[in-house]
Each structure stands twice: as C-alpha cells, then as structure tokens.
Amino acid sequence: VSADWLVETRAYATDKLTFTVGEQEVNAPARTATVTVYSELGVVKIVTVTQEAWSPISWSYSLAELGAAAGRVGVAVAGDKVYFTANGELFAADAATGAGATKIALPEGFVAGGVHVDDAGNLMVSGPDRVVSDGTCGQLQLYKVAADGTYSALVDYNSANYWCTEMGNFRVKGDVTKDAVIAAYVCGQTTYGLYWEVKSGVVGESAYVQLPDMSWDASTGVVAPAGATLADGLYCITYGNDYDLFYYDGAEWTKTWESPASWMENFNCISTTEVGGKTYLALTMSCHFNYDYTDIVVLDVTDPKAAAQVFSIQMNYHTNNEGGLTYSDIYIKGEDGKLAAYVVDSWMDTVEKYLFPLE
C-alpha cells in the first residue's frame, strides 16, 4: 500500500484482501493510492484507489453579488427562503440555491441588526445591538414580520437597569404565536441573560438570569433558549470562561462542552434543531486576530448537560470587510436526514450553505 490512509485489515489472505479507507478531510484535494498484490510468482495485480475531494458547501455568494453591503449580520431560514441582514437591511434569497436575493422593506427608520425564525417558521427581525453611551443600554426591538409584509412589535425594551457595555444578540425558540422564549445578552460589569417568556402568543415581562461570566459586547457572547419554555433551559457562551458552552436548567449553570479555543476567540451565535430524534447545537468560533481560523462546531445536545462534539470543520473564508469585526451567524435545520447550516462568515461579506451528513 502506497499511502497511510489506506490500511490493510486482513493480511496475507489467499482469497480476499480487506482494506480500511481513512476519512477524507473537509475541503481536502482528491488523493490516490495504489495497492500492489503479490504472490509467490511476484506481482499479481496493481489496484489504484482514488478518494475524491469533498466539500460540504452547497452554495456561496458574496454579499456584493447579492446586492448587499458587508456589515453586522444575521441569517435564518423559513420555508424555501433564506433571510439575512446586512448593513442594516433585510434580504431574502432562494434557500436551495442562494440566488435571487431581494430586499425586504423595513418599518420606516428601522435599522436591522439580526433576523430570526422560530420553530414554527415565524419570521422576525431585531434592531442592532445597543452600545452604552450614557450609562444605559438604550432600546432593544424585536419585530414579527407578517406574510403581508407588515410588522408587529414583540419586544420594545428600554433599559436603565443594567450597567453594561452592550446589549442585544436576540435568540428565539418555540412558536411566538403560541409558546416561546426570547433571549438577549447583557454584558459589562456583570453579565445577564435577559429573557421574555411567550405564553399563548402574549409576550410576558422581561426577566433575567446571571450568566457564569462576562463578555465585553454582544459579539463575544450569546445566551440562547434551549426550547419553547424556560423549563427547557438556556445555553450561553461568555468571553471570560474560555468560551466553554454552559447549560442552565433553571437552578444552576453546568459546563456542557469545553472549547479548544484560546483567549482570542469569538463565539456569538448558537442555533439548535432536531434531526432523527437527536438535538444538535451549532456555533461558529472565529479568531479576531486570524480570520483564516474560523470553524463551524456541531454538538449533540440531546442530553443538554453532556454535549458531545459531532464534528468541527473550517469554514470557507474570504477577504476582510473594512470594519474587520468578527460577527458571524449560523442557522441549522434538518434536510432529508442531513444537517443544513446557513452561515454568514466572520468577515461579514459572504452567505453560504453547508450540508453535512450525520452518519
């Protein structure tokens, strides 16, 4: 055998030889090896084995190609459309191909920060994260987008109760027309998860839970609902805890996944979905001193207190946007037994779809 990725597992057989083929790395080029079969008479046969290149990327478009400008972004999918925000505007494109992006009108004067889809497919758009300037965190807004293009406010929140550096990074689970949880991030001197429980379509009063550690802003941490009720728990990643993933069961936080990252990493998105009876959580980790190092990490969180890493791959990456901010986003869903991941990369200039086998 001419390569170490092709290993003979049944040696010196007289009738049948068995080989194990090593797993091909994501985005690696095709590779070829030869197997030479000998007998007492010499070489009997030479077999060539080729392993093709494999990439999970289904499609990839720069925001410029889609008529948008780089800027803080969000991405989500509802029905046959992928929605993304870029530079304060909201767009929709074909989810299967990424083509045909069109701009969606926003309420007058509204600047889009993120886009969100709940488990029932309800489309929402949030305002930008609010940065403290005068000791308060300003106004947080989350709107539901109706099929006719009209908007209704789900959250319109002005806080002077937190001494913080930044507030925002909405996440939603459940069905906002029935039962759901809406969460946002508060960071600074202390760090909180801000949340609203939705019961029978009515958004309740805001409440908060203190997080395990602090982050400097909403691009270095996130808190996300695990399900449609607070009893399902919360996930969070914060800047100060080495970017480990924590799960909150209503009483305490438990470290459920230990990140391999160093201090220079940013984790600012969490997306969950169910495929084949298992619950998966995806996040992106990206290094704000080396943007070439940007990974998608997928975890099995069927047991939320004992997350198991399924895989981690390096995302595609492109040229730097002028702002140089690391603010990627990810949305995952099941498609024909596979895991589809829709991503806006950490350069905030490219929208991509990845399709991962789960076997």
Side-chain angles (χ1 to χ4, degrees), residues 4 23 33 88 90-91 93 123 135 152 155 167 177 203 205 213 228 243 245 267 273 280 324 355:
D4 58 8
E23 184 176 352
L90 176 64
F91 296 83
L123 177 66
S152 57
V155 172
M167 176 184 282
T177 68
V203 181
E205 295 295 321
D213 212 324
Y243 304 97
L245 178 68
F267 293 75
T273 193
Y280 294 94
L355 195 61

Side-chain angles (χ1 to χ4, degrees), residues 10-330:
R10 184 179 175 188
Y12 306 108
T14 59
D15 55 349
K16 187 176 182 179
L17 299 174
T18 305
F19 294 85
T20 299
V21 180
E23 184 176 352
Q24 173 72 306
E25 292 186 6
V26 175
N27 297 326
R31 56 188 181 179
T32 299
T34 58
V35 178
T36 305
V37 182
Y38 297 90
S39 76
E40 294 177 350
L41 301 176
V43 176
V44 175
K45 192 171 186 179
I46 298 176
V47 179
T48 300
V49 180
T50 299
Q51 194 172 45
E52 299 294 336
W54 176 75
S55 172
I57 299 176
S58 298
W59 50 258
S60 178
Y61 285 96
S62 71
L63 291 181
E65 290 178 283
L66 298 174
R72 284 203 165 187
V73 290
V75 64
V77 177
D80 62 355
K81 298 293 184 184
V82 55
Y83 297 89
F84 61 93
T85 53
N87 204 29
E89 298 179 308
L90 176 64
F91 296 83
D94 184 86
T97 66
T102 57
K103 189 183 298 185
I104 299 176
L106 294 170
E108 184 176 355
F110 185 77
V111 177
V115 61
H116 316 275
V117 171
D118 67 13
D119 297 334
N122 295 300
L123 177 66
M124 290 155 279
V125 62
S126 59
D129 301 333
R130 312 306 297 186
V131 179
V132 63
S133 58
D134 60 355
T136 65
C137 287
Q139 192 170 29
L140 290 179
Q141 295 174 309
L142 178 69
Y143 284 86
K144 181 178 179 293
V145 185
D148 62 2
T150 58
Y151 292 77
S152 57
L154 292 170
V155 172
D156 194 353
Y157 179 79
N158 190 288
S159 172
N161 299 321
Y162 304 97
W163 179 258
C164 61
T165 56
E166 191 165 321
M167 176 184 282
N169 213 357
F170 277 102
R171 301 285 141 176
V172 183
K173 288 293 289 183
D175 180 347
V176 293
T177 68
K178 297 177 182 178
D179 296 332
V181 178
I182 301 167
Y185 197 79
V186 183
C187 45
Q189 300 298 318
T190 54
T191 302
Y192 296 100
L194 187 65
Y195 64 88
W196 297 259
E197 290 192 86
V198 182
K199 299 293 185 182
S200 301
V202 178
V203 181
E205 295 295 321
S206 63
Y208 71 90
V209 58
Q210 188 160 0
L211 303 182
D213 212 324
M214 62 179 289
S215 284
W216 302 113
D217 55 46
S219 71
T220 59
V222 61
V223 57
T229 69
L230 189 63
D232 295 317
L234 300 168
Y235 293 105
C236 82
I237 296 174
T238 58
Y239 185 93
N241 251 314
D242 295 325
Y243 304 97
D244 298 327
L245 178 68
F246 285 79
Y247 171 74
Y248 180 70
D249 63 3
E252 62 181 359
W253 290 98
T254 301
K255 183 192 295 188
T256 185
W257 174 72
E258 188 168 333
S259 166
S262 64
W263 65 274
M264 64 181 66
E265 301 304 322
N266 281 359
F267 293 75
N268 59 312
C269 52
I270 290 174
S271 178
T272 58
T273 193
E274 291 188 4
V275 182
K278 294 183 177 181
T279 303
Y280 294 94
L281 181 149
L283 53 89
T284 65
M285 62 181 192
S286 49
C287 173
H288 60 252
F289 291 128
N290 180 2
Y291 290 94
D292 293 355
Y293 178 62
T294 304
D295 287 0
I296 295 173
V297 179
V298 173
L299 308 173
D300 182 340
V301 291
T302 306
D303 179 352
K305 291 187 176 182
Q309 185 166 313
V310 181
F311 57 81
S312 173
I313 72 156
Q314 188 176 61
M315 289 168 57
N316 201 10
Y317 56 87
H318 302 275
T319 56
N320 188 14
N321 64 295
E322 291 183 4
L325 296 170
T326 300
Y327 203 83
S328 55
D329 198 13
I330 190 169

